[in-house]
Amino acid sequence: MNISGATFHDPYWLLLLLLLPVIAWLRRRRSVPALVVPGAHEWHSPGATSSALWPIVCAYVGIALLVGGLARPQVFVPLDDHQRRGYDLIIAIDLSTSMYAEDFQRGATTVNRLQAVKPIISAFINERPDDRIGIVVFGGRAYTFAPLTFDHEWLRKQSARLSIGLIEDGTAIGDAIGVALRRLREGRAEEQGRHGSFIVLLTDGSSNKGSLDPRQAARLAADEGVAIYTIGAGAEGLVPVPVFDYAGNRTGTEMRASEIDSLLLRDVAESTDGLFFRATDANAVRDAFARIDEAQKVEFAAAPPLVSRELFHVFALMGVGLLALAWYEAHFRAARAERDMSSNLKLSTTTTHTGIEP
């Protein structure tokens, strides 16, 4: 078995091992040994000390193994014949203040645009376990929020931290595409070529900031064989937007014009052989997945995932076995000492009756 590491899942149990030296020290201070069995006086007979020591050692080792089992020892073993094949996906998420607009309904509850697109983000993270996924966030500028990774559990925790106003305000769609392309280039292996890489752009957006024009950025993506899937979050016309004071407390709601640029998002998607969706489209994620899965997958050169194997039963069986052996030897020695004592007593009695001196 190829073992790649080992650990204890509950290491605090190992603190109990500190009691073993204390027990040994207390045992040495007692006039009678701590491991008391019938016939233990035989330990003090000539030549008996060394032979009586190993059951005690077995008992201590057995206890140590049982404590080790309680700490849940584990080894990590790589999965055999596991070859990751999937896609590289960068999710670019708009965190501008226009995402505060509350023009979505979730059941009877009104939610803002970021809350509306978060289930789409979760779907990409949760339902594509074999893909490397990264996150880019943008407002007035674009930043890498999470690099390409297979650690989707970490991505889930990171995406939960996403909030509107996390970065400077504005909508730099072109810069977001540019940063996403840079992250994809960094993660692309030489043998990958120009396939298996995608950008998913979620915005309510009319691009009004940034140094790179969105359509120019789309042409760069098309040249590199990267398809962009754009998802527009928001309704046309006037939409309710919450109003906040300087302390960040909500003071009311006002109606503002929505500036979503559906034409731009459609052009970006179509020029890269991607698709444009509305966040309200129930089939958006399914259709995006279906189109992505038509592409050629990438064979990643990543290390195979590790699986933990529990060793509690091994430690427990060895510990119980050593304790049973120690008990048996102590009991056997006590029984043998009792038989020897009875034999000596009978011999002494017989000698006394016959008058023969020993």
Side-chain angles (χ1 to χ4, degrees), residues 37 60 74 79 86 115 178 205-206 258 270 282 296 307 313 328 330 350:
V37 295
Y60 280 127
Q74 299 174 335
L79 284 179
Q115 292 170 328
S206 175
S258 177
E270 292 178 352
Q296 181 180 351
V307 178
H313 62 285
Y328 174 79
T350 303

Side-chain angles (χ1 to χ4, degrees), residues 22-210:
V22 176
I23 295 173
W25 179 73
L26 291 175
R27 181 181 178 279
R28 289 178 63 86
R29 289 177 58 87
R30 293 169 61 93
S31 57
V32 178
L35 185 60
V36 180
V37 295
H41 60 279
E42 186 183 352
W43 293 1
H44 302 287
S45 62
T49 303
S50 60
S51 62
L53 182 61
W54 73 265
I56 300 174
V57 173
C58 283
Y60 280 127
V61 174
I63 294 172
L65 287 170
L66 287 177
V67 171
L70 291 174
R72 287 185 60 189
Q74 299 174 335
V75 294
F76 298 104
V77 182
L79 284 179
D80 295 330
D81 301 324
H82 182 91
Q83 185 66 48
R84 281 190 181 273
R85 298 182 69 250
Y87 304 98
D88 279 340
L89 301 174
I90 292 290
I91 306 174
I93 305 166
D94 188 349
L95 296 183
S96 61
T97 54
S98 59
M99 295 289 282
Y100 274 126
E102 297 174 337
D103 49 357
F104 284 90
Q105 289 289 130
R106 186 177 296 166
T109 306
T110 300
V111 297
N112 63 41
R113 292 171 176 177
L114 179 60
Q115 292 170 328
V117 301
K118 275 193 172 183
I120 299 176
I121 301 170
S122 298
F124 274 90
I125 295 174
N126 297 333
E127 299 179 29
R128 306 196 65 85
D130 292 327
D131 294 342
R132 284 195 306 183
I133 300 176
I135 296 176
V136 167
V137 294
F138 66 97
R141 299 180 66 182
Y143 300 91
T144 301
F145 190 73
L148 287 169
T149 180
F150 287 116
D151 191 348
H152 293 185
E153 180 61 33
W154 177 76
L155 271 183
R156 277 188 285 272
K157 294 177 182 178
Q158 290 295 96
S159 62
R161 296 172 47 228
L162 294 171
S163 60
I164 301 169
L166 191 64
I167 52 182
E168 55 263 47
D169 198 19
T171 307
I173 293 177
D175 287 2
I177 296 173
V179 173
L181 284 173
R182 194 179 309 131
R183 298 287 83 82
L184 288 172
R185 290 190 205 108
E186 292 173 355
R188 183 180 299 169
E190 292 295 329
E191 64 273 10
Q192 181 174 335
R194 296 188 174 191
H195 63 266
S197 299
F198 301 89
I199 296 173
V200 180
L201 180 73
L202 298 104
T203 180
D204 63 351
S206 175
S207 187
N208 54 29
K209 288 285 183 72

